[in-house]
């Protein structure tokens, strides 16, 4: 369909990882001498930037003729981007090109990269800075959004079928719907489940790094400045540091931290174990990590499933009743 207009723009480029560009994401921390937890934070968080790319970097794009139209300020801002920086690059194009096209009645296909799509989803669904960390975008699987007249996303589980009378199709992502995600994937279920398992494994690896850093910090602190650690940590202190970490929303819903905390409680109150060696801690961490395998994977839900449809229909009607009761109380 050569008559369909195609708009190309550098604003839909993948997020720029700065000095990390070109490195393996699993080994960059060792090669560049950066804390592993910080590298994971750079990859997943909304605000954390990677180290800036310099002019002598082998992948510096400042001399690329494709970007000769960019101003010096735009080039400097593209030396390394957080997800927030990526949003600031993408949203002017979204607001000036995509939204007017949608308002004109067109259907738009956005072909881009994972973090670019993740940024757009955050803006469309108004997902929080904390929740966006846990979202990953499958590669090469169409993601469908339907918007209402105010360009707000239509909930595929309730509004689409029962309010707008549109036949549903595809799969909703169970673990992300609670964060405000309203997209529908049009891929095959087996591949989607495989992608989710990999996503959950990445999240558990990040949580494992956080736990190791907490334990190492306690071990060094107990040894004292300038002294070598004896590799023994106090169980109660480890529990308290994990508990404190989980008080923030950013870390409060991390399953691996929660499981480690529960395991330490059993050690303290059932076995009366006051201390742990570092090898003992790592053994527990490995066990807890393995116990989590497959247990945080919630299934994708097909919008054509009859049983799920009945539940969704009941919830939709219940919400209408609640809205009517609320209006009556207000009046």
């Amino acid at each position: 369909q050569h008559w369909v207009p195609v708009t190309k723009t550098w604003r839909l480029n993948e997020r720029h990882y700065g000095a990390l560009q070109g490195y393996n994401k699993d080994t960059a921390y060792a090669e560049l001498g950066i804390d592993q937890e910080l590298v994971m934070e750079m990859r997943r968080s909304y605000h954390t930037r990677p180290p800036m790319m310099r002019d002598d970097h082998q992948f510096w794009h400042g001399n690329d003729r494709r970007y000769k139209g960019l101003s010096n300020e735009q080039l400097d801002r593209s030396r390394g981007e957080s997800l927030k920086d990526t949003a600031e690059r993408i949203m002017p194009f979204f607001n000036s090109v995509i939204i007017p096209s949608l308002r004109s009645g067109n259907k738009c296909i956005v072909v881009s990269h994972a973090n670019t799509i993740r940024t757009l989803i955050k803006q469309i669904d108004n997902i929080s800075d904390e929740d966006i960390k846990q979202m990953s975008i499958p590669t090469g699987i169409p993601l469908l959004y339907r918007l209402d007249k105010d360009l707000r996303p239509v909930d595929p589980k309730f509004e689409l079928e029962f309010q707008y009378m549109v036949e549903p199709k595809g799969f909703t992502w169970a673990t992300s719907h609670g964060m405000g995600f309203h997209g529908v994937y049009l891929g095959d279920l087996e591949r989607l489940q495989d992608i989710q398992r990999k996503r959950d494994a990445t999240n558990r690896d990040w949580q494992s790094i956080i736990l190791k850093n907490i334990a190492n910090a306690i071990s060094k602190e107990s040894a004292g400045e300038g002294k070598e650690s004896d590799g023994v940590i106090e169980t109660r202190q480890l529990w308290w540091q994990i508990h404190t970490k989980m008080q923030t929303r950013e870390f409060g819903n991390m399953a691996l931290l929660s499981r480690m905390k529960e395991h330490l409680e059993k050690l303290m109150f059932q076995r009366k174990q006051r201390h742990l060696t570092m090898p003992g801690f790592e053994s527990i961490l490995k066990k807890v990590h393995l116990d989590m395998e497959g247990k945080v994977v919630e299934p994708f839900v097909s919008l054509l499933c009859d049983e799920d449809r009945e539940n969704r229909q009941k919830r939709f009607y219940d919400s209408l009743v609640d809205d009517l009761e609320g209006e009556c109380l207000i009046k």
Side-chain angles (χ1 to χ4, degrees):
Q1 298 181 356
H2 58 275
W3 61 87
V4 176
V6 177
T7 303
K8 296 182 180 181
T9 175
W10 65 276
R11 290 188 179 275
L12 290 178
N13 284 358
E14 172 62 299
R15 171 191 171 188
H16 198 288
Y17 279 95
L20 302 182
Q21 203 81 11
Y23 286 89
N24 185 301
K25 62 184 179 183
D26 297 320
T27 59
Y29 74 95
E31 296 177 59
L32 294 173
I34 304 174
D35 180 74
Q36 191 175 8
E37 183 179 343
L38 179 59
V39 172
M40 292 296 289
E41 182 77 12
M42 293 172 187
R43 289 174 53 195
R44 303 306 309 166
S45 74
Y46 188 63
H47 295 280
T48 307
R49 286 177 178 154
M52 296 291 104
M53 178 180 281
R54 297 181 178 178
D55 291 2
D56 57 355
H57 195 286
Q58 62 174 324
F59 295 116
W60 168 238
H61 53 281
N63 300 322
D64 192 321
R65 64 181 183 179
R66 291 174 297 180
Y67 302 105
K68 65 180 181 180
L70 270 63
S71 66
N72 290 332
E73 181 184 0
Q74 288 173 328
L75 278 175
D76 284 339
R77 293 184 68 178
S78 68
R79 290 179 180 272
E81 296 176 317
S82 65
L83 205 61
K84 182 175 183 293
D85 296 326
T86 309
E88 291 174 357
R89 164 165 57 84
I90 295 166
M91 293 314 293
F93 176 77
F94 181 78
N95 292 325
S96 63
V97 178
I98 297 178
I99 283 185
S101 181
L102 290 171
R103 290 196 184 280
S104 299
N106 296 317
K107 296 177 181 177
C108 296
I109 298 177
V110 178
V111 182
S112 190
H113 303 269
N115 281 299
T116 309
I117 301 298
R118 192 158 67 110
T119 298
L120 287 174
I121 288 173
K122 184 185 190 305
Q123 306 302 319
I124 293 170
D125 282 326
N126 195 27
I127 296 173
S128 71
D129 297 353
E130 291 79 17
D131 287 339
I132 198 62
K133 289 183 179 183
Q134 303 177 55
M135 290 194 63
S136 296
I137 306 303
T139 301
I141 296 181
L143 174 60
L144 175 66
Y145 268 85
R146 287 186 171 92
L147 309 177
D148 64 15
K149 61 183 178 64
D150 298 316
L151 296 185
R152 291 178 300 194
V154 173
D155 192 326
K157 292 174 73 74
F158 306 108
E159 299 175 334
L160 183 63
E161 182 175 10
F162 307 117
Q163 181 173 335
Y164 293 96
M165 303 303 174
V166 175
E167 182 181 357
K169 58 183 176 180
F171 300 90
T172 58
W173 202 330
T175 52
S176 299
H177 191 268
M179 304 172 192
F181 176 71
H182 291 97
V184 175
Y185 286 102
L186 303 180
D188 66 274
L189 183 58
E190 184 176 347
R191 187 178 175 204
L192 286 168
Q193 293 287 24
D194 181 59
I195 289 169
Q196 174 139 331
R197 280 190 289 271
K198 291 177 181 177
R199 181 192 75 160
D200 290 331
T202 299
N203 284 335
R204 288 196 297 276
D205 288 341
W206 183 13
Q207 295 170 42
S208 180
I209 293 167
I210 292 171
L211 288 169
K212 286 179 181 178
N213 284 351
I214 292 174
N216 287 330
I218 294 173
S219 180
K220 290 179 182 179
E221 185 180 346
S222 61
E225 188 175 351
K227 296 181 180 179
E228 187 175 347
S229 170
D230 58 4
V232 177
I233 54 179
E234 188 177 351
T235 310
R236 183 177 60 179
Q237 189 177 6
L238 178 59
W239 178 92
W240 175 251
Q241 292 295 337
I242 296 172
H243 172 77
T244 303
K245 193 93 170 175
M246 293 181 68
Q247 296 311 298
T248 62
R249 185 179 177 185
E250 182 179 355
F251 300 99
N253 59 354
M254 290 189 171
L256 206 61
L257 271 65
S258 179
R259 289 293 294 275
M260 176 60 79
K261 185 180 167 186
E262 291 173 4
H263 193 94
L264 293 175
E265 288 171 356
K266 291 179 181 179
L267 292 181
M268 289 189 294
F269 299 117
Q270 294 181 10
R271 297 177 56 180
K272 310 298 182 184
Q273 186 168 338
R274 297 178 58 189
H275 295 88
L276 277 173
T277 62
M278 285 301 292
F281 163 77
E282 290 173 1
S283 177
I284 294 171
L285 179 57
K286 184 177 180 181
K287 177 181 182 299
V288 173
H289 195 288
L290 290 174
D291 284 347
M292 293 300 298
E293 291 291 341
K295 293 188 179 180
V296 295
V297 178
E298 297 183 30
F300 285 85
V301 179
S302 172
L303 292 175
L304 297 177
C305 174
D306 290 336
E307 182 178 350
D308 184 67
R309 184 185 183 282
E310 292 178 4
N311 293 329
R312 290 188 287 112
Q313 187 175 33
K314 182 179 183 303
R315 290 175 62 183
F316 176 72
Y317 290 146
D318 287 345
S319 68
L320 292 182
V321 171
D322 292 340
D323 290 343
L324 290 172
E325 289 178 350
E327 289 183 16
C328 291
L329 288 173
I330 293 172
K331 291 178 179 179

